[in-house]
Amino acid sequence: MTTAPEETPDATSAGLYDTIRYGLIEIAREMNLSLMRSAFSPVVRDILDCTTALHLKTENGWEMVACFEGCMQHAFTSQHIANFTMDEWDLERTRPGDVIFVNDPWRGAIHQSDINLLRPIHVDGEVRAVLHSTSHVVDLGGPIPGGFSNGVETAFEEQLKFPPTLLYADDVPVRPAFNYLLENTRVPSMLLGDIRALYGCLVVGEGRFRDLLGRYGTDTVFAAAQHAIDVTEASMRAGIREIPDGDYRIEDFLDDDGVVVEPLPMVVTVKVRGDSMEIDFSGTGRQPRGNVGTAWVEATRCIEAVKMLVDPEPPVNSGTLRPIETILPPGSAVCVLPPSSCSNHMDVGSRSINMVVKAISGALVSRSIAADSGTCATIVMGGIDMRPGREGQQWGSFAGPGGGWGGTWKGDGLSYCIAPIGNCRTSVHEHAEAESPTVIGQMEVMPDSAGAGRHRGGFGGIYTLVALSDTILTITSDRVRHGADGVLGGGRGMSSYAWYIPQFDWDTHMDPRLLTGLEPLYGAFDQHGVPDADHGSVYGGATHSTGKIAGLVVRAGDAVRVLIGGGGGWGDPLERELIAVGKDVRDGLYSPEYARRAFGVVLEDGVLRFDETAALRRHLAGERDAGRWSVPSASPVDWIL
């Protein structure tokens, strides 16, 4: 096998290697565009919960040399899947045109709803490359439509689980494998369309890869790929060197595991030594009974946090992963042992990224970031379509409304977007409404949901779904007990809530503050049923004590409203610029009363009262110093009962 020269390439070689490096990325990009444009389901076509990658065989195993992500986490887990699968597969018997299917979490997959297709590529008679495409699918069997089987305790109660399985042989579909897949899903036409798209983009990728080999030669392409990995590794190490050496420990918790109604502790210690890092999850709670645990993915997925803070610009490849070792205690929430369920991987993954960000932010204040909402409020739905002309057809759909990102050292957090774990797009409602018996009544920013700070968090969202036919709904949400933490004196973002709305009325139910007639599904409420994360309880006033609900039947004409929390604030809110607070109030993002309570800013009829504001801020600062005031969690103060 030809490897990159040991010495640093000269300027001419480096220029050629960089050309090829970006050529490899372009291959992954074309694959991703092909996948998106030919997929059938909204989860791939619209949301872009998918990624494509190219791996080459090196002395270190299978290393990812290029990827193009729609969903960020796949860019960090793809190399794991390739190594698990290719180490198990019989490469000696592999023929050109073979494609392998796998979705087993204990073989590197994220969860069973994320399927992976791998296409080994023969170069000079030997398998030396593998192309990888992956995406979430709307349904793959199991007890409820769409996965995220909240409330189950084993993988046997989830979707179908496949070890590495031959799906195409010599570019011919393996009929038994396809039959088994399609006869165990509620939406076979949609699944078949997505699988064909995942396969087709691999064919596109192989053609482009062989063109690159033909243009520059095998040895040069492989040397350039090694150069690409080395350049990325050097950049990542340079970023890590800026963090002071030390051990940075963070403790947090998930609300619950969906079965046992008690917090699930999570612990991470980030150890920095020079240009390398160890991320140690020792101390994290034991393997949960519910489905929130993950298998192998936290070994690399948590590295997203490091990349985001210290080296955000260069493309991701295996060099991104090289400087970092991860410790996952077997039998813990971040490394469950079979047959535990892994279907809700989102909550542990989002929280692990939040925690690593918080740990590094404590060491690198100049680049610190407050916590994001920590949940996407993933919603999966399905049922029998009873609209005229579609009676009796099974359907499935998927939504990831997203929440707010945390405030940063540089500015305010982003509002109403998918959490960094995915960073995907949101649904295209016109598509969803045409294909599914639902109407999206609201998808908009929730006022008073962003954590207060010198730089406020991003605002969370309102997502109201109205059913036109009886619909089976799954909601996967966390941060119900309290919202996203702020940093450096910033306040918490709003926590998560949901209500069931019988006989949704477009004239009265569009006001998100109106609670009359609504049935609380989950959230922290006071004794009057008013949302109150600081003083309320998740044990009373709602039908569920968890934000992880599966199998909820929404009758035709009824609706469900989900409020996704905002991001935490950065810095002292009493130091936020008055003009910025005034603008947020005038834009309807903050109410005047919340601005007074959290920022110490007085407005009357939209006009800033500078003297009153100065006096109030001095008063609140004194009360804080005396331990009698703290920044209130973000939440509207004018709920209507």
Side-chain angles (χ1 to χ4, degrees), residues 371-393:
D372 60 76
S373 61
T375 185
C376 295
T378 304
I379 300 171
V380 187
M381 63 206 86
I384 307 297
D385 197 338
M386 297 306 294
R387 290 177 293 175
R390 305 196 182 198
E391 295 93 336
Q393 294 184 15

Side-chain angles (χ1 to χ4, degrees), residues 368-429:
S368 55
I369 301 175
D372 60 76
S373 61
T375 185
C376 295
T378 304
I379 300 171
V380 187
M381 63 206 86
I384 307 297
D385 197 338
M386 297 306 294
R387 290 177 293 175
R390 305 196 182 198
E391 295 93 336
Q393 294 184 15
Q394 295 200 73
W395 64 278
S397 192
F398 183 94
W405 287 24
T408 77
W409 59 276
K410 198 170 184 179
D412 296 340
L414 299 176
S415 293
Y416 207 0
C417 54
I418 301 294
I421 190 174
N423 198 25
C424 306
R425 302 194 306 197
T426 53
S427 304
V428 177
H429 300 320

Side-chain angles (χ1 to χ4, degrees), residues 47-353:
I47 299 174
L48 292 186
D49 191 353
C50 58
T51 289
T52 49
L54 170 62
H55 308 269
L56 298 184
K57 191 174 183 180
T58 74
E59 61 184 11
N60 298 314
W62 292 95
E63 292 194 281
M64 185 176 74
V65 298
C67 73
F68 202 87
E69 79 279 352
C71 181
M72 177 59 72
Q73 61 185 336
H74 293 148
F76 288 78
T77 60
S78 178
Q79 181 169 302
H80 248 352
I81 297 163
N83 277 278
F84 272 106
T85 303
M86 301 308 289
D87 286 351
E88 184 173 346
W89 201 251
D90 186 356
L91 294 182
E92 296 298 324
R93 297 180 181 273
T94 300
R95 300 179 58 189
D98 287 355
V99 174
I100 308 161
F101 179 101
V102 62
N103 72 332
D104 184 350
W106 288 280
R107 289 177 168 92
I110 295 176
H111 66 158
Q112 285 155 229
S113 289
D114 276 22
I115 63 175
N116 302 272
L117 270 63
L118 294 101
R119 183 181 182 93
I121 305 298
H122 289 74
V123 179
D124 300 329
E126 178 187 359
V127 176
R128 297 183 62 184
V130 61
L131 295 168
H132 177 204
S133 60
T134 181
S135 77
H136 189 102
V137 291
V138 168
D139 189 71
L140 201 64
I144 59 171
F148 290 96
S149 306
N150 297 325
V152 307
E153 300 185 27
T154 68
F156 305 125
E157 304 167 79
E158 294 182 26
Q159 305 78 39
L160 300 175
K161 178 164 69 70
F162 285 81
T165 300
L166 189 64
L167 191 65
Y168 287 83
D170 195 16
D171 283 319
V172 176
V174 177
R175 180 169 292 184
F178 271 91
N179 286 347
Y180 190 74
L181 281 165
L182 300 179
E183 292 178 14
N184 285 280
T185 179
R186 297 168 177 84
V187 286
S189 60
M190 188 174 287
L191 178 63
L192 178 60
D194 283 356
I195 289 177
R196 285 175 169 171
L198 287 159
Y199 162 76
C201 78
L202 299 178
V203 176
V204 170
E206 179 173 359
R208 299 294 184 270
F209 182 58
R210 292 199 181 281
D211 286 347
L212 199 69
L213 294 178
R215 178 176 299 181
Y216 296 105
T218 300
D219 290 349
T220 301
V221 169
F222 273 73
Q226 189 64 55
H227 168 71
I229 294 171
D230 293 342
V231 167
T232 300
E233 178 185 1
S235 181
M236 193 72 168
R237 290 190 182 278
I240 293 173
R241 274 197 298 270
E242 296 184 22
I243 306 173
D245 283 3
D247 295 359
Y248 306 99
R249 178 184 170 92
I250 296 294
E251 298 184 17
D252 205 335
F253 65 88
L254 297 184
D255 290 336
D256 53 76
D257 66 11
V259 174
V260 179
V261 187
E262 60 182 38
L264 177 64
M266 291 188 65
V267 178
V268 69
T269 304
V270 176
K271 303 176 182 179
V272 180
R273 303 291 187 273
D275 64 358
S276 62
M277 178 185 293
E278 179 183 273
I279 301 174
D280 184 357
F281 286 96
S282 296
T284 292
R286 64 180 299 176
Q287 181 166 314
R289 281 181 57 189
N291 66 333
V292 301
T294 55
W296 284 104
V297 292
E298 299 326 321
T300 52
R301 186 164 59 175
C302 62
I303 297 173
E304 283 187 51
V306 186
K307 174 71 172 170
M308 194 162 52
L309 281 167
V310 306
D311 189 38
E313 295 298 330
V316 176
N317 61 32
S318 67
T320 308
L321 312 178
R322 281 182 177 178
I324 302 171
E325 298 288 340
T326 308
I327 296 176
L328 304 177
S332 69
V334 293
C335 191
V336 299
L337 303 177
S340 181
S341 171
C342 296
S343 60
N344 174 13
H345 67 95
M346 293 290 293
D347 290 333
V348 162
S350 293
R351 195 55 45 81
S352 69
I353 291 173

Side-chain angles (χ1 to χ4, degrees), residues 577-594:
E577 292 184 0
L578 300 184
I579 293 176
V581 178
K583 183 177 186 304
D584 283 343
V585 172
R586 286 190 294 274
D587 289 343
L589 298 174
Y590 281 129
S591 64
E593 181 57 29
Y594 185 76

Side-chain angles (χ1 to χ4, degrees), residues 498-502 515-522 525 541-543:
W499 290 266
Y500 190 97
I501 309 176
L515 303 179
T516 305
L518 276 61
E519 301 172 5
L521 291 172
Y522 60 78
F525 299 92
T543 57

